[in-house]
Amino acid sequence: MNDIDDPSAGAEDPTAPRLGMIAQAEGAIILLYGLDEPAAAAILRARAHYCGIDLAELAARVVAELPDPRHPEEAARVRARLDRLLLLDTTHSALDPNLN
């Protein structure tokens, strides 16, 4: 079967944005904490489970904390924000958009 005969050819995978966001968050964790991919994925999964939120939602929040490349001075603050989001907060306040 070729692309012309395959009705799904060229159809966009609806999970692609979700998986891309998760991969981007894992990459940020790898870079900032010096971990490997399985460890970064485990942190994301464990934190999402602990806080009762969707993995892709947590990944989006991690990515949202990344610095704007136009403002390199922001990079110094990213580690502290991700520590709060992923590792230190036990009251869920970092995940409550109304408290930030």
Side-chain angles (χ1 to χ4, degrees):
M1 184 181 289
N2 61 34
D3 286 353
I4 295 172
D5 297 328
D6 184 1
S8 66
E12 190 171 313
D13 181 357
T15 62
R18 173 184 163 85
L19 296 176
M21 185 66 67
I22 293 168
Q24 194 172 1
E26 287 175 359
I29 293 168
I30 289 167
L31 180 65
L32 288 169
Y33 296 102
L35 301 173
D36 60 12
E37 189 277 331
I43 286 174
L44 277 176
R45 279 192 315 272
R47 189 64 174 170
H49 177 76
Y50 176 78
C51 294
I53 64 170
D54 181 70
L55 180 61
E57 181 182 341
L58 178 58
R61 291 180 186 196
V62 168
V63 170
E65 293 294 336
L66 298 178
D68 184 333
R70 297 169 293 177
H71 302 285
E73 68 278 4
E74 286 290 312
R77 291 184 220 131
V78 171
R79 175 73 184 253
R81 291 193 307 246
L82 288 184
D83 282 351
R84 182 170 172 243
L85 182 65
L86 295 171
L87 305 174
L88 299 177
D89 181 68
T90 58
T91 64
H92 308 296
S93 63
L95 297 175
D96 186 342
N98 298 318
L99 296 177
N100 291 326

